[in-house]
């Protein structure tokens, strides 16, 4: 089946301006252009647009989406499974947040006390559930159920102050990575060393000691896994690779 740009825009719920921009940057080309200048799209472009919109819903930036979809090893079915996992986790997080806001509102309206630990339980639980949904099968196969469950138990037991410190450190690492990549810093340089050390400290919040070998093995997964890339490269492509190289150089 063929679609004009207007028909495809209506089908996908986007604007024709968006589709023209995707064409301009090479992200979604029409199958052909008629003599009158009209763009024509087929089912293949519909499938590609579906993946683009899934990745955009997950916060992946356009340049990264293009690299993922143009990779010769791109697996259509595997990508759909990954989208489903990530979106299900995202929905669960929103459900948890809605529930937390409802409980907080009810507490305020009834003039009751909501203890600090209760306020942060939803965020800690989401962090554990997201990690399990995204990487659970792999890490359990590699490290065993007992070790993974021990890490989750430790994260869930973090005090509000420790949890806040953990999240702040994660945000700091992301900001330093993006600044380093944009500035053209070298992973083997002093900035890379600082980031690698911060990452090691961040991992330590799991309560499970990370040897240099284990740290390097974990970091090596980052640039090779689209899920890590989608997280670290969401605003500045190259962050996952920089982190991997920095850890290999300094840990």
């Amino acid at each position: 089946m063929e679609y004009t740009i207007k028909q495809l825009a209506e089908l996908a719920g986007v604007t024709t301006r968006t589709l023209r921009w995707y064409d301009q940057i090479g992200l979604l080309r029409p199958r052909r252009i008629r003599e009158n200048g009209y763009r024509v799209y087929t089912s293949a472009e519909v499938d590609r647009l579906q993946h683009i919109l899934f990745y955009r819903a997950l916060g992946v930036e356009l340049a990264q989406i293009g690299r993922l979809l143009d990779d010769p090893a791109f697996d259509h079915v595997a990508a759909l499974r990954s989208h489903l996992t990530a979106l299900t986790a995202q929905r669960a997080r929103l459900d948890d947040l809605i529930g937390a806001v409802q409980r907080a509102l009810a507490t305020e309206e009834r003039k009751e006390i909501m203890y600090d630990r209760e306020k942060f339980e939803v965020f800690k639980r989401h962090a554990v559930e997201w990690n399990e949904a995204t990487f659970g099968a792999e890490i359990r196969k590699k490290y065993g159920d007992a070790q993974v469950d021990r890490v989750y138990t430790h994260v869930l037991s973090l005090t509000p102050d420790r949890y806040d410190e953990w999240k702040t450190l994660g945000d700091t690492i992301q900001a330093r990575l993006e600044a380093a990549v944009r500035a053209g810093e070298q992973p083997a340089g002093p900035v890379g060393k600082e980031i690698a050390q911060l990452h090691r400290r961040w991992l330590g919040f799991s309560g499970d000691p990370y040897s240099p070998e284990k740290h390097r093995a974990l970091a090596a997964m980052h640039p090779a896994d689209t899920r890590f890339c989608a997280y670290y490269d969401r605003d500045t492509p190259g962050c996952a690779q920089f982190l991997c190289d920095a850890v290999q150089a300094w840990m």
Side-chain angles (χ1 to χ4, degrees), residues 148-209:
V148 172
D149 290 340
R150 184 167 62 251
V151 170
Y152 288 163
T153 298
H154 186 84
V155 170
L156 290 172
S157 68
L158 289 174
T159 65
D161 286 344
R162 287 287 285 171
Y163 173 81
D164 187 57
E165 185 182 353
W166 180 47
K167 297 298 292 181
T168 299
L169 182 56
D171 292 341
T172 298
I173 292 170
Q174 182 66 31
R176 300 267 177 96
L177 278 170
E178 292 177 1
V181 171
R182 288 195 295 266
E185 299 284 356
Q186 295 301 311
V191 173
K193 181 179 182 180
E194 179 187 10
I195 290 174
Q197 291 173 336
L198 288 174
H199 189 250
R200 177 81 176 276
R201 181 181 158 203
W202 180 79
L203 290 173
F205 277 81
S206 69
D208 194 41

Side-chain angles (χ1 to χ4, degrees), residues 45-108:
E45 287 74 52
V46 171
D47 288 345
R48 185 177 174 94
L49 179 58
Q50 182 185 51
H51 283 297
I52 291 170
L53 297 180
F54 282 149
Y55 279 123
R56 288 299 292 155
L58 296 171
V60 183
E61 55 97 31
L62 294 178
Q64 176 67 12
I65 295 174
R67 287 193 292 273
L68 291 170
L69 297 182
D70 293 336
D71 187 335
F74 180 76
D75 186 323
H76 179 81
V77 175
L80 286 174
R81 289 197 182 102
S82 178
H83 295 327
L84 179 60
T85 297
L87 289 169
T88 300
Q90 189 178 74
R91 182 178 65 183
R93 178 175 181 269
L94 288 174
D95 287 343
D96 277 349
L97 289 174
I98 290 171
V101 172
Q102 289 173 332
R103 289 193 298 275
L105 181 60
T107 299
E108 289 291 333

Side-chain angles (χ1 to χ4, degrees), residues 3-24 28 30 39 41 49:
Y3 300 89
T4 65
I5 189 171
K6 182 179 179 181
Q7 290 171 332
L8 181 58
E10 292 175 349
L11 178 70
V14 299
T15 65
T16 56
R17 181 178 180 181
T18 295
L19 294 179
R20 291 191 182 93
W21 173 244
Y22 288 172
D23 182 8
Q24 182 178 335
L28 182 68
R39 295 170 171 83
Y41 299 87
L49 179 58

